[in-house]
Amino acid sequence: MTLHKGGSSLPDKKLLLFPEPQECEIKPGYAVLVEGRVLRCSIVLAQDASAMERTAAEIIQNAVCEKAGVVPPICASAPGADTLPIWVGEIARRVLRDEAFEFTNRAKTAGLNTTSAEAYALEVAPTGVALRGVGGAGTFYAAQTLAQMISCQNNDVVVPISSIRDWPMMNERGLYVESKWGQDLMTLEDWKDAIDQLASLKMNLLGIGVYGCWRMQYDLRPTEFLLLPLEKYPDLHTRKTLDYYSARKNAWQSLTYLPAMYEDDFFGEVVAYGRSRNVKVRPHFNSLGHNTLIPRLYPEVSSKDAYGQPRGYGFCLSNPATFKLMEEILGDIVDRYLAPYGVDDFHLGLDEVWPITGLYDFHPQQRIEPWCECVACRQADQNKLFLEYVLHLASALKARGIRHITMWHDQLDRMGLLDESFVQMLEERGLKDNLILNWWRYAVTPFETTKPELGLRRRVSPLGGYWLWSPYRNYLVNIESMGGLGIAESAEGIEAYSLYDDAFDNHQRLLADCGWNYNSVGSLDEWKEKYARYVFGCEWEKGLKAMKDFDEVSALGTTLLSFVQRMDAYPYTYVNPDRAYPRSYPQEALNALLNDEQGAERLQAVIDASERARQAFGELAEKRIPRGDLAAQMEVEAWRVEGLAKVFDNLVKAKEAYDQASQASDDEAMRAAVAKARDHIAEAIAVHYRVTLACERTKADYLQPTILRNWSTVLPFLEETLAALERCLDGAPLPVIDWTGH
């Protein structure tokens, strides 16, 4: 018999649970749910079972069906004849009286936090299974644990004999999904799938960015997202056009659209579905920084320059119209999407209120301040204006029933406002118990402190997977370190800044372990082994080796990660004050590579590591491993890194051959060098095609346009260069090719 409490993973490595329970006792033997193809179990609920208990029963029903292809019945009050009963919810306490199923007493002696509705007990015996939570959420989570424990042994579907007592270490655990490309194409079903995934990992919070703006990157326009239609401001919307190359269609595609959530107005349905899965869905509506759409279309409320002209960025905080507009917008969101479903959580954003470039197409390099310079704002204290804005919006939300009001910590910290006087202001406004600061840091090491001595509510926010249009970036070390800080300083939650992509399943599972049972994580290497066993099963050692190879080019803190990102198109979509805009890509990246003394060595290292990883992931994805779908996601992410490196390797070699052609002493030598350059460009295009096709085969539909737009950025240069070199081989003079953007 094995008693497991707070270790890194179960000693026999057979029971791989995410998140790992606080206490798990594994005993010899199994309870048989399906014998061969014969159903041996039934699920039992009370006649008056709650909606959450019924959902828990359905989770178990679906888990059995997935393994066996047969559906156990859900029975009222009594099990089916001659079946092993699975007692779900309150009925488990009433029906099973022997010591093994006395939940309340066992929970107390095991140290169960009986004040948490998410705590639960789960018992599996040869004669029956029982699960019950302190509240409905706990029963739901017990069902999620049981669903993970159900497995196939020979021809049977079984559950190991076991006793589990479990509860969370942090109250809130989840993702904040930013309003960015890809996420704005998620359908209602996509969001439901995301909620189901979070719920399966006992995460109870999903923040959705519904308004946020960034500087220009594409089409000489600011990058603006609004995912909700606003009844009083119907002219606020953010239509997008994405151009990209499709390998499947062998043609360029152009997609023009409004965000799916905006067009079909289904945010309320997402909120409601989240509640049915114990996932609180709350909106994130930014302003001041990350705010160009509203002030551009409503210049009255925009910050003004010294001449009184609206900037189209930030707000005038001396203008009552600013407060009226924001109260109407926030009130509309609360009344239509939150109040009907009993959600009392709202995120105000308010991060990164700082100067930006890339706002005006006529002068991209101009530096634009967010702070208003009208007469009234110039005469006021900037800190006081900011604080009054924060407190006013928070008070307006509280007046509408919002009890949990979140904002990012950074701007308060940057302005030197996180002190006792700020706490006193919150107390005077009756907001201290309502305001939550999300402390974010996306580095290897966390903050020194989140200032718990101030007595403010706090969540820690690592990076849970982002930049999905770019080569993969592994931020597991950031999640683990921020999770540790949150536990050490008694933060009430962990909420990762993220986008939603199955390729970041490992980030989500580590986040779940850190928030629910941080002590179970152990070292990051131990946790990675656990994850490899989950994905690859008996092939876990090969899978773990592939993961380590891929870490060399993708993990935060490694030398090659920044090298890979400098080759990617995305950094060159931003304005550089010292360069013309739009910038030259891939020429600028190629120039940086050629001027890197270790560039050739690093490029080869990237190719070698990513190719090893990609080949191993691909071989594993084709085998009968537990999660071939995740191995396929890893394969395509390795493909994207390998492909980028090989494209640039061929660009380097093509330029070398072109330079040889430029210096050739006779026509024959020149043509031979041009042919060599042409072959390298043709190979780069072939690599580009293979990566494009891999993305189209594997990535979710809502992610493909933004991934392929970024990846396609290099293609026009490759095709134009190929055509110029081929014309030269057909007799035209050696073309002038600007390889480095000069």
Side-chain angles (χ1 to χ4, degrees):
M1 181 169 66
T2 302
L3 179 64
H4 173 62
K5 184 175 182 180
S8 62
S9 55
L10 293 176
D12 61 8
K13 306 291 186 181
K14 292 180 180 178
L15 201 57
L16 299 169
L17 302 178
F18 298 90
E20 200 161 320
Q22 301 287 349
E23 296 186 3
C24 181
E25 186 180 5
I26 308 299
K27 306 172 186 178
Y30 297 92
V32 179
L33 307 182
V34 180
E35 189 174 10
R37 297 285 295 177
V38 180
L39 188 65
R40 298 297 188 192
C41 67
S42 58
I43 302 167
V44 190
L45 286 170
Q47 289 277 8
D48 59 349
S50 68
M52 194 62 77
E53 289 178 338
R54 293 185 183 280
T55 302
E58 292 168 2
I59 294 293
I60 300 166
Q61 187 181 54
N62 291 337
V64 174
C65 180
E66 183 179 336
K67 296 293 184 183
V70 293
V71 182
I74 297 177
C75 307
S77 301
D82 299 322
T83 62
L84 180 143
I86 303 175
W87 307 91
V88 178
E90 284 299 305
I91 197 170
R93 184 188 342 206
R94 296 201 304 267
V95 173
L96 299 172
R97 296 295 184 184
D98 61 308
E99 184 180 353
F101 293 102
E102 281 290 344
F103 288 102
T104 304
N105 291 335
R106 289 289 299 275
K108 287 181 178 177
T109 58
L112 188 69
N113 177 10
T114 56
T115 63
S116 172
E118 296 180 333
Y120 68 89
L122 169 62
E123 292 283 350
V124 181
T127 55
V129 179
L131 51 125
R132 173 181 168 267
V134 173
T139 298
F140 177 73
Y141 286 154
Q144 298 286 7
T145 298
L146 181 61
Q148 290 189 53
M149 295 168 64
I150 295 171
S151 66
C152 296
Q153 295 288 333
N154 299 320
N155 293 321
D156 300 336
V157 175
V158 300
V159 183
I161 306 303
S162 52
S163 177
I164 293 176
R165 301 293 181 267
D166 201 12
W167 61 95
M169 296 181 75
M170 289 190 186
N171 291 332
E172 288 88 33
R173 309 160 307 277
L175 302 179
Y176 164 58
V177 176
E178 181 62 277
S179 52
K180 268 295 181 87
W181 299 292
Q183 314 305 297
D184 60 342
L185 284 170
M186 289 178 70
T187 65
L188 176 59
E189 291 307 310
D190 292 328
W191 285 108
K192 286 182 176 181
D193 289 345
I195 288 170
D196 286 340
Q197 170 72 353
L198 296 185
S200 74
L201 297 174
K202 302 184 179 66
M203 289 199 268
N204 59 9
L205 182 64
L206 172 60
I208 298 179
V210 298
Y211 175 67
C213 308
W214 288 260
R215 64 194 73 184
M216 70 171 64
Q217 292 183 275
Y218 301 95
D219 305 323
L220 293 176
R221 294 186 299 177
T223 303
E224 298 167 336
F225 294 90
L226 178 65
L227 271 60
L228 303 181
L230 301 172
E231 289 186 345
K232 292 188 176 181
Y233 301 93
D235 50 339
L236 289 174
H237 53 78
T238 56
R239 190 176 298 275
K240 300 281 189 301
T241 297
L242 276 66
D243 297 320
Y244 60 93
Y245 172 76
S246 166
R248 280 180 167 171
K249 297 182 178 179
N250 192 25
W252 283 83
Q253 307 295 303
S254 184
L255 174 67
T256 299
Y257 66 96
L258 285 168
M261 187 179 286
Y262 180 101
E263 196 158 40
D264 295 332
D265 197 11
F266 58 70
F267 183 63
E269 295 175 73
V270 177
V271 174
Y273 189 77
R275 279 190 63 83
S276 74
R277 299 297 189 270
N278 199 51
V279 176
K280 181 188 288 186
V281 177
R282 62 105 171 89
H284 174 289
F285 197 100
N286 220 330
S287 61
L288 298 187
H290 296 290
N291 176 34
T292 60
L293 177 66
I294 295 174
R296 179 165 57 81
L297 296 186
Y298 292 87
E300 178 188 4
V301 302
S302 174
S303 70
K304 311 296 192 300
D305 64 20
Y307 302 99
Q309 296 301 308
R311 292 191 173 112
Y313 174 47
F315 283 149
C316 174
L317 298 182
S318 297
N319 187 350
T322 298
F323 294 85
K324 180 176 182 293
L325 177 143
M326 285 301 297
E327 283 184 39
E328 288 179 343
I329 289 176
L330 300 185
D332 183 24
I333 294 171
V334 171
D335 292 346
R336 286 199 292 139
Y337 300 115
L338 304 184
Y341 308 105
V343 172
D344 57 0
D345 200 310
F346 202 108
H347 199 314
L348 284 172
L350 295 168
D351 61 317
E352 297 180 343
V353 187
W354 54 29
I356 63 170
T357 56
L359 185 60
Y360 304 141
D361 59 356
F362 57 85
H363 191 346
Q365 289 80 12
Q366 185 174 346
R367 187 173 183 269
I368 310 299
E369 289 282 344
W371 303 107
C372 185
E373 294 184 72
C374 74
V375 174
C377 287
R378 282 203 308 268
Q379 293 175 349
D381 181 281
Q382 189 177 94
N383 285 9
K384 290 182 179 179
L385 287 174
F386 178 72
L387 285 175
E388 183 54 38
Y389 181 74
V390 170
L391 298 174
H392 186 99
L393 294 191
S395 295
L397 285 172
K398 183 175 180 180
R400 288 184 175 270
I402 301 298
R403 294 292 175 263
H404 311 283
I405 302 161
T406 315
M407 65 178 289
W408 302 108
H409 90 285
D410 64 296
Q411 192 60 34
L412 288 167
D413 197 38
R414 190 176 298 115
M415 298 174 76
L417 297 174
L418 279 176
D419 55 23
E420 293 292 344
S421 62
F422 176 62
V423 176
Q424 184 177 351
M425 293 179 71
L426 291 174
E427 290 174 336
E428 291 171 354
R429 302 286 185 99
L431 294 169
K432 183 182 177 184
D433 293 336
N434 306 110
L435 190 69
I436 307 167
L437 297 181
N438 268 32
W439 287 75
W440 61 274
R441 181 177 171 86
Y442 311 141
V444 172
T445 56
F447 302 105
E448 289 184 8
T449 179
T450 60
K451 299 187 177 181
E453 67 277 5
L454 293 178
L456 297 175
R457 298 176 64 186
R458 292 156 295 115
R459 294 175 185 158
V460 290
S461 290
L463 198 75
Y466 193 72
W467 300 293
L468 52 82
W469 44 82
S470 289
Y472 195 82
R473 305 187 204 187
N474 180 332
Y475 272 69
L476 295 178
V477 64
N478 174 242
I479 295 173
E480 190 279 330
S481 63
M482 287 288 279
L485 177 66
I487 293 296
E489 296 197 342
S490 300
E492 65 181 56
I494 183 168
E495 180 185 8
Y497 184 83
S498 66
L499 295 175
Y500 196 80
D501 183 351
D502 288 340
F504 296 114
D505 175 82
N506 55 349
H507 289 61
Q508 295 165 17
R509 290 181 185 275
L510 178 59
L511 185 74
D513 269 334
C514 286
W516 186 275
N517 183 7
Y518 179 79
N519 294 333
S520 73
V521 174
S523 71
L524 199 51
D525 284 341
E526 289 175 305
W527 189 89
K528 288 177 181 178
E529 180 182 322
K530 173 187 173 183
Y531 187 74
R533 289 178 180 272
Y534 163 72
V535 174
F536 304 109
C538 62
E539 298 276 359
W540 71 268
E541 289 177 297
K542 181 175 180 177
L544 182 60
K545 173 63 168 59
M547 287 166 56
K548 289 180 177 179
D549 285 337
F550 194 44
D551 281 352
E552 292 182 21
V553 297
S554 66
L556 181 65
T558 55
T559 303
L560 293 179
L561 175 62
S562 59
F563 179 79
V564 170
Q565 299 305 322
R566 284 197 299 273
M567 291 187 289
D568 180 48
Y570 185 66
Y572 304 96
T573 64
Y574 285 100
V575 171
N576 183 325
D578 300 323
R579 290 184 175 272
Y581 193 83
R583 293 164 69 177
S584 299
Y585 180 83
Q587 297 97 312
E588 192 177 334
L590 180 59
N591 186 57
L593 175 60
L594 294 171
N595 287 312
D596 184 344
E597 292 182 357
Q598 297 178 294
E601 179 183 344
R602 289 173 175 168
L603 189 60
Q604 191 59 52
V606 169
I607 291 172
D608 291 345
S610 57
E611 187 172 40
R612 288 196 306 271
R614 187 261 304 169
Q615 290 176 345
F617 289 143
E619 292 167 2
L620 289 164
E622 294 177 357
K623 293 186 176 182
R624 293 177 60 85
I625 60 174
R627 292 302 303 269
D629 57 327
L630 294 180
Q633 288 288 337
M634 296 178 194
E635 178 190 13
V636 77
E637 294 303 333
W639 242 133
R640 292 170 68 189
V641 176
E642 179 189 348
L644 181 66
K646 286 184 173 178
V647 164
F648 273 87
D649 183 53
N650 278 288
L651 279 171
V652 169
K653 292 172 180 175
K655 183 181 182 304
E656 290 174 351
Y658 176 87
D659 290 343
Q660 292 171 5
S662 301
Q663 300 165 12
S665 58
D666 57 65
D667 185 66
E668 183 178 353
M670 185 271 286
R671 290 176 61 82
V674 169
K676 187 175 180 181
R678 185 270 318 271
D679 291 346
H680 282 299
I681 295 297
E683 175 59 21
I685 292 174
V687 169
H688 188 279
Y689 179 89
R690 290 196 291 271
V691 174
T692 304
L693 194 58
C695 289
E696 290 183 289
R697 287 172 173 167
T698 307
K699 304 307 292 185
D701 290 344
Y702 63 85
L703 298 178
Q704 289 185 27
T706 187
I707 289 174
L708 295 182
R709 173 177 62 175
N710 188 72
W711 178 237
S712 300
T713 306
V714 72
L715 194 55
F717 178 83
L718 295 176
E719 292 180 332
E720 290 166 9
T721 301
L722 180 65
L725 294 172
E726 288 181 336
R727 285 195 297 270
C728 179
L729 292 174
D730 287 338
L734 182 69
V736 176
I737 298 175
D738 181 7
W739 294 92
T740 57
H742 293 305

